[in-house]
């Protein structure tokens, strides 16, 4: 590896210099966040110029920190961001490696710009804090939560107050490692009545669905394993798979569901360990698999011996009377792992999700959960229990589905008025994905438009967040609860291709 960056005097040994570890020209008289930006930009540039090639092992966090005169905390954050961008992969016990060379030009220029002191960060990525914090003043068109006043604040606040009355003897320990037993018992009863027979000891509570996905990946995969995902699909999942050193393999999903022929080809070619699939009201398309496709998917999982992880967090938001398949119900949790969450029907602040799995798999998932963080919050789990067992809960969920139905109709009308076409017709849920049938360019694409929107006070989620393969068009995921506003309509009209 060539030493392209200007070398400054550092406390590195001759052996460390000889090993080719990068010493970067960075400005140290600045805050941690700016230091992270500079490191990310410098390494991105080295990768883009092929001075760091695919497969190159990066120095350890301690070595990099020593050679560049920064803290290990700064290096950890920079490496994590590079993993999220897909430039590095993390292999447990081995370190960090260069994972790709094809950094998009717009992303490279944005990070290079951020390396200069005083430059204002303008990059929007799938892990932008404002997309999750809820404290930004920007209109959260690309966010994954509903307006707080839609949830029924009295029900949730009452539940939180009741949860805080936790018995004193429960304050001595960490809580049950599997999660609050009373909530698991209630969930088991509901799932048994509505979908499939399950025992409380087959349910593991988590810090939301993303934590559940992380536990599954930690338990069932190792670096280098292939993992099938929907394309487009859940943005954070793609980053999480790469973070574990696995290889995401995209299976196109559209109006008519998954491309089953390509799925069979890829399963044969890559021998995947897992496939993640959003059966009902998929994020970002809002479509659901047919019963025929669900049967075919189970048959392919059986044929090629891979696990199916069913992301089932939107089922409660389906229109009243709709009938959608459940992979867990059809399979009986034999090779299906079901992931649920309460963040869409209650406040996302209550970070409670769940994994339902076979009796043979659950103990290992529990062991990994305890290794990674011991237990989850019993107070949050108690609050969820009080909320979902309260009399108003069912009516509140029905009201959410009805409000989303109205919002979705208005959203699609507004998008059509801006010349945008939906990628698929949603059958319910929170999202509509739509765009212009125009090829992206380096100057005009989803991310550049999202950066313009951010300057205009609007948070957008562009197609780049959700796709593994390049998109032939420019499109965005719209949250139906926030997309019927004059502010968004004016912005879309101002940037639409003429």
């Amino acid at each position: 590896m060539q030493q392209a960056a200007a070398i400054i005097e550092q406390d590195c040994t001759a052996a460390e210099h000889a090993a080719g570890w990068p010493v970067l020209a960075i400005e140290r008289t600045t805050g941690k966040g700016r230091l992270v930006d500079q490191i990310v930009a410098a390494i991105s540039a080295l990768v883009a110029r092929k001075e760091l090639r695919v497969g190159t092992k990066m120095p350890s966090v301690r070595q990099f920190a020593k050679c560049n005169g920064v803290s290990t905390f700064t290096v950890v954050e920079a490496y994590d961001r590079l993993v999220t961008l897909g430039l590095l992969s993390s292999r447990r016990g081995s370190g960090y490696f260069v994972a790709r060379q094809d950094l998009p030009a717009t992303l490279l220029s944005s990070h290079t710009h951020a390396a200069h002191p005083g430059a204002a960060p303008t990059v929007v990525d799938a892990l932008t804090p404002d997309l999750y914090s809820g404290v930004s003043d920007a209109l959260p068109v690309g966010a994954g939560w509903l307006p707080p006043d839609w949830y029924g604040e009295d029900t949730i606040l009452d539940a939180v107050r009741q949860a805080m009355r936790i018995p004193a003897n429960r304050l001595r320990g960490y809580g049950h490692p599997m999660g609050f037993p009373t909530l698991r018992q209630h969930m088991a009863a509901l799932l048994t009545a509505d979908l499939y027979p399950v025992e409380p000891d087959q349910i593991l509570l988590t810090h939301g669905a993303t934590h559940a996905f992380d536990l599954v990946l930690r338990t069932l995969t190792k670096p280098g394993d292939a993992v099938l995902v929907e394309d487009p699909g859940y943005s954070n999942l793609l980053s999480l798979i790469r973070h574990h050193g696995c290889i995401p393999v995209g299976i196109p999903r559209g109006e008519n569901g998954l491309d089953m022929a390509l799925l069979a080809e890829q399963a044969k070619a890559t021998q995947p360990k897992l496939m993640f699939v959003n059966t009902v009201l998929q994020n970002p398309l809002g479509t659901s698999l047919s019963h025929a496709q669900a049967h075919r998917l189970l048959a392919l999982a059986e044929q090629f011996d891979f696990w199916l992880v069913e992301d089932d967090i939107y089922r409660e938001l389906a229109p009243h009377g709709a009938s959608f398949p459940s992979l867990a119900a059809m399979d009986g949790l034999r090779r299906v792992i079901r992931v649920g969450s309460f963040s869409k029907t209650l406040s996302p602040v209550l970070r409670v999700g769940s994994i339902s799995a076979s009796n043979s798999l659950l103990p290992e998932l529990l062991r990994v959960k305890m290794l990674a963080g011991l237990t989850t919050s019993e107070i949050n789990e108690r609050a969820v229990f009080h909320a979902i067992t309260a009399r108003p809960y069912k009516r509140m969920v029905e009201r959410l589905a009805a409000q989303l139905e109205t919002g979705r109709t208005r959203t699609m009308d507004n998008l059509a008025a801006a010349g945008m076409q939906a990628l698929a017709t949603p059958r319910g849920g929170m999202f509509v994905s739509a765009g212009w049938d125009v090829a992206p360019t380096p100057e005009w694409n989803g991310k550049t438009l999202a950066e313009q929107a951010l300057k205009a006070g609007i948070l957008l989620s562009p197609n780049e967040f959700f796709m593994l393969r390049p998109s032939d068009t420019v499109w965005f995921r719209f949250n139906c609860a926030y997309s019927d506003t004059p502010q968004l309509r004016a912005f879309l009209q101002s940037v639409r291709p003429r």
Side-chain angles (χ1 to χ4, degrees):
M1 182 192 73
Q2 299 175 355
Q3 190 69 48
I7 297 180
I8 61 178
E9 186 175 350
Q10 295 296 324
D11 184 24
C12 281
T13 67
E16 287 168 335
H17 278 309
W21 294 328
V23 181
L24 308 177
I26 55 179
E27 173 58 54
R28 286 159 185 77
T29 58
T30 185
K32 175 185 172 186
R34 186 66 63 208
L35 281 172
V36 171
D37 288 340
Q38 293 180 69
I39 293 170
V40 169
I43 293 177
S44 299
L46 291 171
V47 171
R49 293 197 299 268
K50 295 183 170 57
E51 294 173 26
L52 283 173
R53 296 185 176 275
V54 173
T56 299
K57 183 176 181 179
M58 297 295 293
S60 71
V61 169
R62 182 192 63 78
Q63 292 161 346
F64 189 102
K66 180 181 178 182
C67 282
N68 288 279
V70 297
S71 75
T72 55
F73 299 105
T74 297
V75 180
V76 167
E77 187 171 334
Y79 275 10
D80 282 348
R81 193 181 300 179
L82 288 162
V83 168
T84 298
L85 292 173
L87 282 186
L88 300 184
S89 64
S90 171
R91 304 177 191 173
R92 288 194 294 275
S94 300
Y96 293 86
F97 296 80
V98 178
R100 59 183 287 194
Q101 212 86 58
D102 58 336
L103 182 65
T106 54
L107 193 56
L108 175 59
S109 64
S110 298
H111 278 288
T112 303
H113 175 71
H116 298 290
T122 58
V123 175
V124 177
D125 66 46
L127 293 177
T128 298
D130 279 350
L131 285 176
Y132 297 90
S133 66
V135 300
S136 171
D137 291 331
L139 182 67
V141 174
W145 65 81
L146 300 177
D149 57 341
W150 282 29
Y151 286 115
E153 294 178 3
D154 290 342
T155 299
I156 296 172
L157 290 176
D158 286 345
V160 171
R161 281 192 286 266
Q162 291 188 62
M164 293 302 294
R165 298 172 188 157
I166 186 170
N169 65 343
R170 295 300 303 149
L171 299 176
R172 291 187 306 223
Y174 290 92
H176 198 291
M178 292 187 66
F180 184 42
T182 308
L183 176 58
R184 290 188 291 110
Q185 290 164 7
H186 183 72
M187 291 175 61
L190 291 177
L191 289 170
T192 297
D194 296 340
L195 291 177
Y196 54 89
V198 63
E199 297 296 326
D201 287 346
Q202 291 179 272
I203 297 175
L204 181 69
L205 299 185
T206 64
H207 291 297
T210 302
H211 181 215
F213 299 150
D214 181 57
L215 292 180
V216 170
L217 286 165
R218 287 174 184 265
T219 303
L220 295 176
T221 67
K222 62 182 185 300
D225 284 343
V227 176
L228 302 182
V229 294
E230 300 172 301
D231 195 8
Y234 177 43
S235 55
N236 281 12
L237 179 60
L238 304 180
S239 299
L240 189 61
I241 290 169
R242 292 190 180 106
H243 182 76
H244 283 283
C246 297
I247 303 167
V249 178
I251 306 300
R253 179 156 179 174
E255 179 79 54
N256 298 317
L258 289 163
D259 185 336
M260 290 295 179
L262 182 60
L263 197 163
E265 291 177 12
Q266 292 287 15
K268 182 177 181 180
T270 65
Q271 295 296 299
K273 290 295 181 67
L274 301 171
M275 178 173 184
F276 290 89
V277 61
N278 221 170
T279 315
V280 178
L281 304 181
Q282 191 247 12
N283 175 14
L285 298 180
T287 59
S288 300
L289 294 185
S290 67
H291 286 82
Q293 281 218 327
H295 280 291
R296 177 62 176 149
L297 186 55
L298 287 168
L300 289 173
E302 185 75 26
Q303 179 181 353
F304 295 104
D305 192 25
F306 59 87
W307 293 91
L308 284 171
V309 184
E310 182 175 27
D311 178 357
D312 207 20
I313 72 174
Y314 298 101
R315 185 177 295 271
E316 283 192 277
L317 296 178
H320 181 69
S323 175
F324 297 118
S326 163
L327 294 174
M330 296 164 67
D331 174 73
L333 296 181
R334 194 170 55 86
R335 67 170 59 250
V336 171
I337 304 164
R338 181 192 182 267
V339 172
S341 171
F342 295 98
S343 65
K344 308 307 176 185
T345 55
L346 294 171
S347 170
V349 172
L350 296 175
R351 304 300 302 146
V352 178
S354 65
I355 298 173
S356 299
S358 66
N359 289 313
S360 60
L361 180 60
L362 212 291
E364 183 61 17
L365 289 165
L366 173 60
R367 188 185 74 85
V368 172
K369 175 186 174 180
M370 295 185 69
L371 284 173
L374 292 181
T375 64
T376 40
S377 169
E378 183 173 317
I379 290 179
N380 283 3
E381 292 162 1
R382 283 175 174 268
V384 166
F385 171 73
H386 289 302
I388 66 175
T389 55
R391 185 173 299 176
Y393 178 72
K394 185 176 180 180
R395 292 196 302 272
M396 184 181 72
V397 173
E398 291 173 350
R399 186 171 64 250
L400 287 178
Q403 288 172 294
L404 284 171
E405 184 74 27
T406 301
R408 189 165 54 256
T409 299
R410 292 176 177 172
T411 295
M412 294 188 73
D413 289 343
N414 290 332
L415 298 179
M420 304 179 83
Q421 300 173 343
L423 274 65
T425 302
R427 298 187 61 188
M430 299 172 58
F431 305 120
V432 174
S433 289
W436 295 285
D437 191 14
V438 177
T441 67
E443 297 76 26
W444 191 87
N445 55 63
K447 283 203 168 182
T448 59
L449 293 179
E451 289 165 15
Q452 292 181 42
L454 192 58
K455 294 175 182 176
I458 301 171
L459 284 171
L460 288 181
S461 293
N463 55 271
E464 287 92 338
F465 287 8
F466 307 100
M467 300 192 70
L468 284 172
R469 66 190 190 280
S471 177
D472 295 330
T473 64
V474 175
W475 57 270
F476 303 88
R477 186 194 72 180
F478 295 91
N479 186 321
C480 300
Y482 297 100
S483 299
D484 183 24
T485 67
Q487 182 182 1
L488 178 62
R489 288 195 291 270
F491 175 78
L492 294 177
Q493 290 290 349
S494 71
V495 297
R496 66 181 294 184
R498 305 298 176 183

